[in-house]
Each structure stands twice: as C-alpha cells, then as structure tokens.
Amino acid sequence: MFCGDYVQGTIFPAPNFNPIMDAQMLGGALQGFGCDKDMLINILTQRCNAQRLMIAEAYQSMYGRDLIGDLKEKLSDHFKDIMVGLMYPPPSYDAHELWHAMKGAGTEENCLIDILASRTNGEIFQMRETYCLQYSSNLQEDIYSETSGHFRDTLMNLVQGTREEGYTDPALAAQDAMVLWEACQQKTGEHKTMLQMILCNKSYQQLWLVFQEFQNISGQDIVDAINECYDGYFQELLVAIVLCIRDKPAYFAYRLYSAIHDFGFHNKTVIRILIARSEIDLMTIRKRYKERYGKSLFHDIKNFASGHYEKALLAICAGDAEDY
C-alpha cells in the first residue's frame, strides 16, 4: 500500500460478545432435519475470527461435538464452503486453500498465485507451519511437485517468506530496474531467474523505486513490459506480485472482478478472497472495486449469486444502503 494509506476490513469484533449464548443459538440452528441458515449467517458473519474460535470451543464443551464437523454435515455446496471457511484461523484457511488447490485433479494455479503473491513474511511463515500440522505435509515440497519451470521457481522463492522489509536503496533501484529491463529484452533462463529474484526478495518500498526507475529507463510500465515479454502462469504470477506491491486492495478488486465477470462467477475465488481479506482490507477492496469498475461489489454479487449463499457473501461484504 502507498505510505499512509489506511486500509480497513469489513468484519470487526462484536461488542457484548457472549460465546456461550452464540454456541447455544448455533446448536439450536443445527438441530433436527432443517437448519436455520439465517441464524448461522447472523452469528458467524457478525463475529471476528478470534470470536468464532471461542464459539467453537464453547460449542465443543456444550455438545461434545465439533462445530466445523456439524457445519460440514448439515450444509452443502457453496454455502457450506463459506460457513466452514469462516471457522478457520487465517493461516489455517490459507493452508486449507493451498492444499485443495494442489490435491485435486490438476492444480489450481490461480489460487497459488493469489495467496503466495499477496501474503506477508509473517503470514507465509504461519501458513507453512499450519500446513505441516494440518496435513502432515511440507508446503514447499508439495509446490515443487505440483508445478514446474520458472513459475515453480518463483513460487518456491515466495514461499520462503524472506522478502526484505522496509529497506530502500535508491542507487540500487536504478541497477535493479536495468536488470528487469534486460530480462524483458533477453528472456533467457538466467534473466527470468534474476527477474523473479528481484520481485520476490526486495522490500515493497524498494520495489516502488525500482518500478519508477523502470518507467524512466524504458518509457514503459513494468506490468505492460511483463505482459509483452512473458506468458502463461509465470507471467500471471509476476504481474500479481507487481500489482500487490503497488496496491494490494486494487489487486484483489481486480481478481474479484475477473472471477465474477470473466469466469461466470468463479465461486471458489470469490469466497476465498472475501473470507481471507474480511478482517484486513475488504472495505478498501470494495472501495477500489467501485472506483475502478463503476459498479459496486455488492451489486455484482447480488446479480450473480442467490439464496443463503448470496446472503452470506453480502453479509461478509458488509454492504451499505447505497450499494444496493
């Protein structure tokens, strides 16, 4: 984010929070044949993640059952994905999404790109630890075996979570910009490696300077240059990294827009972004979406989703009256 730019989520800790009462209400909502989906939405989307974990604890001691297990058993389809997704702590949710992106038939590259291009060093570290605990598997090894080429090299670099933080060196920025420019001209394996090393390891602040210098040297925006020179998932990942460095909420607004409009509402992507960003910058993402695409995210979700699934998505979006 640009210095001093304030980002905001849509979900905050509920005041006067009572986990025991919430657990009782959820128990009631999940009893019997039917299921009170409105009650589930009202409770789970109106509590922050830390509060949901306390509700799950209260539920366990009250009923001797696992809340996630009960939600999985009682619900179905995308509505189930949202309600269950809300119950995971953030590192656990990232780990869950990455695991499923790699373990199905074929790899969901866009999920890997979204998560690994956007997470901070701390988030990546926690995600790796959780992945190991949750799946008794090594995230690096799984990425290595499920991807290939320079796309794989770049993901392997990102998953180290060793990006420099806060450090800037204006003199070095011009040098790095030259390397990037050459990498877009020459396109050898060695140049591709240098390109991804700079984009994965330099601090966000340093890369802002590098991108400015790149524009000065080449007369071209770095994103346009990457799009012209490279293709496939390698190109998509490089662009995602650049966009996240420039303005992360704008990147996610773009990903939501393309998930909704270019892929006929790609449910997994929409759900993943809304849940993962709900307490970080979803309000800012909504703002960027409206500025960039003219329509509100609220309006577009209303147009494409329906039923309790739509209700749950809109509740996480925390729409205002003017968004209808």
Side-chain angles (χ1 to χ4, degrees):
M1 286 306 305
F2 296 113
C3 304
D5 209 346
Y6 176 63
V7 296
Q8 197 183 21
T10 53
I11 293 180
F12 302 95
N16 313 317
F17 169 60
N18 182 339
I20 292 169
M21 203 159 82
D22 284 349
Q24 266 173 337
M25 307 278 269
L26 289 175
L30 291 165
Q31 289 310 311
F33 294 112
C35 173
D36 187 346
K37 291 177 182 167
D38 289 315
M39 177 73 75
L40 297 181
I41 294 170
N42 290 344
I43 293 176
L44 296 182
T45 66
Q46 303 306 307
R47 310 288 182 269
C48 70
N49 188 263
Q51 291 176 331
R52 287 181 214 121
L53 300 182
M54 290 163 73
I55 295 170
E57 257 176 60
Y59 188 93
Q60 178 77 49
S61 58
M62 200 178 286
Y63 300 104
R65 290 200 312 273
D66 174 46
L67 179 55
I68 288 185
D70 282 1
L71 290 168
K72 282 181 175 170
E73 190 188 315
K74 290 281 186 179
L75 306 175
S76 59
D77 303 328
H78 302 309
F79 183 68
K80 174 177 83 175
D81 297 338
I82 297 185
M83 292 296 123
V84 170
L86 286 168
M87 295 308 303
Y88 288 107
S92 194
Y93 187 59
D94 279 348
H96 171 271
E97 292 296 289
L98 291 169
W99 169 262
H100 288 282
M102 293 188 281
K103 290 301 154 194
T107 303
E108 259 191 86
E109 286 84 359
N110 277 322
C111 173
L112 303 183
I113 292 172
D114 270 356
I115 293 177
L116 293 171
S118 65
R119 301 306 191 251
T120 64
N121 288 347
E123 287 166 341
I124 288 169
F125 178 75
Q126 288 186 299
M127 172 204 309
R128 281 205 323 255
E129 300 268 284
T130 310
Y131 189 93
C132 188
L133 290 169
Q134 235 161 266
Y135 303 107
S136 311
S137 195
N138 179 299
L139 179 57
Q140 282 106 313
E141 285 171 16
D142 287 352
I143 289 171
Y144 192 84
S145 67
E146 296 298 324
T147 56
S148 62
H150 288 281
F151 176 59
R152 170 167 74 188
D153 297 343
T154 312
L155 290 173
M156 292 299 286
N157 199 340
L158 289 170
V159 80
Q160 306 293 324
T162 50
R163 183 185 292 286
E164 291 169 357
E165 290 179 344
Y167 174 77
T168 57
D169 179 343
L172 193 58
Q175 226 173 304
D176 286 341
M178 277 305 290
V179 174
L180 292 183
W181 189 63
E182 278 172 28
C184 288
Q185 309 305 307
Q186 319 245 353
K187 298 187 257 193
T188 67
E190 197 186 339
H191 280 96
K192 287 180 185 173
T193 301
M194 293 196 301
L195 176 62
Q196 62 95 351
M197 293 289 282
I198 291 171
L199 291 182
C200 295
N201 297 318
K202 303 287 178 175
S203 74
Y204 273 27
Q205 291 85 341
Q206 178 68 5
L207 285 165
W208 292 337
L209 299 179
V210 173
F211 299 157
Q212 277 173 322
E213 287 291 345
F214 185 91
Q215 177 90 41
N216 298 343
I217 293 165
S218 66
Q220 195 178 24
D221 183 73
I222 181 86
V223 172
D224 296 333
I226 292 169
N227 284 335
E228 265 176 39
C229 303
Y230 296 107
D231 56 17
Y233 291 118
F234 180 57
Q235 169 256 328
E236 284 185 41
L237 177 55
L238 295 179
V239 167
I241 296 168
V242 173
L243 295 178
C244 283
I245 289 162
R246 283 195 168 149
D247 185 343
K248 213 169 273 182
Y251 168 72
F252 283 116
Y254 151 71
R255 288 289 297 131
L256 282 167
Y257 188 84
S258 78
I260 293 170
H261 294 274
D262 303 341
F263 296 98
F265 210 86
H266 194 265
N267 297 286
K268 276 184 179 174
T269 304
V270 174
I271 293 169
R272 182 178 62 247
I273 294 173
L274 291 192
I275 291 179
R277 308 313 292 183
S278 60
E279 290 183 45
I280 303 172
D281 53 6
L282 185 55
M283 191 60 90
T284 314
I285 291 167
R286 279 183 39 196
K287 214 170 90 188
R288 297 283 191 278
Y289 193 100
K290 184 82 183 268
E291 288 162 5
R292 192 150 300 194
Y293 305 111
K295 293 231 167 68
S296 71
L297 178 58
F298 203 78
H299 169 276
D300 281 351
I301 288 171
K302 250 182 132 40
N303 246 358
F304 285 92
S306 60
H308 285 96
Y309 173 46
E310 174 202 325
K311 249 188 175 166
L313 289 174
L314 295 179
I316 295 169
C317 249
D320 302 326
E322 82 252 17
D323 282 329
Y324 283 92

